[in-house]
Amino acid sequence: MQQERLKVLLDEEILAQRVKAMGLEIREVYGDVPITVIAVLKGSFMFMADLVRAIGGDVKVEFLGVSSYHGGTRSTGAVKITQDLRHPIEGQHCLVVEDIVDTGLTMDYLRRLLEVRGPKSLRVATLLDKPINREIEVAVEFVGFSIPDEFVVGYGLDLGELYRNLPYIAVYTP
Ligand code: IMP
């Protein structure tokens, strides 16, 4: 691990506090209904694990494997489904959980992919948002943190599959 390239942006305590608050906010918006949480892999796995514990009530967990970066630090805009959902989502209240929305291309693609499957509702929760890079307008109902245009790693986010296990979010300087 090249520690000297990392600068902590959001430490463990700040992440825990914000994720807890997001969980409460999400449960309040949905009310007392079952929520199907759709975790977008791989980046959201750690956020999703903490978030579902904070949401409480009836929650189902589904996984959607997506690859959009192909190992680099720039989005190509090409989204590849590497693992589809195992169950239908028709008639269910769905919450897509993403690690970061950057250009918005991935989330725009996913929203359209999932909408046609007939969920009762579809909302998006992202831990991080880089609004400055948006190339397409896409609805994101719950945002953890808006961050500047920096490449970040940790807490599930990777660079070439590394750094996902950091318990904090750090800016990576090449
Ligand atoms: P978008 O399609 O440009 O919005 O990119 C979304 C995906 O790109 C996210 O799900 C991440 O996997 C990846 N991504 C975007 N920015 C970063 C970053 O700063 N660090 C790590 N992955 C990123």
Side-chain angles (χ1 to χ4, degrees), residues 2 23 56 64 85 89 126 129 154:
Q2 296 183 287
L64 186 61
L85 301 176
I89 55 166
T126 186
D129 185 16

Side-chain angles (χ1 to χ4, degrees), residues 40-44 66-69 72-79 98-108 110 126 128 130 133-136 138 147-154 156-159 164 170 172:
V40 182
L41 296 175
K42 296 175 188 171
S44 76
V66 166
S67 136
S68 51
Y69 259 50
T73 59
R74 300 295 287 265
S75 181
T76 59
V79 182
E98 179 62 297
D99 54 354
I100 184 164
V101 179
D102 187 18
T103 62
L105 294 169
T106 305
M107 194 44 72
D108 178 64
L110 292 181
T126 186
L128 305 174
K130 281 196 231 174
N133 275 350
R134 206 67 99 249
E135 287 178 22
I136 190 162
V138 62
I147 62 167
D149 182 19
E150 309 253 35
F151 193 80
V152 291
V153 295
L157 288 100
D158 76 311
L159 173 61
R164 291 194 199 276
Y172 180 91

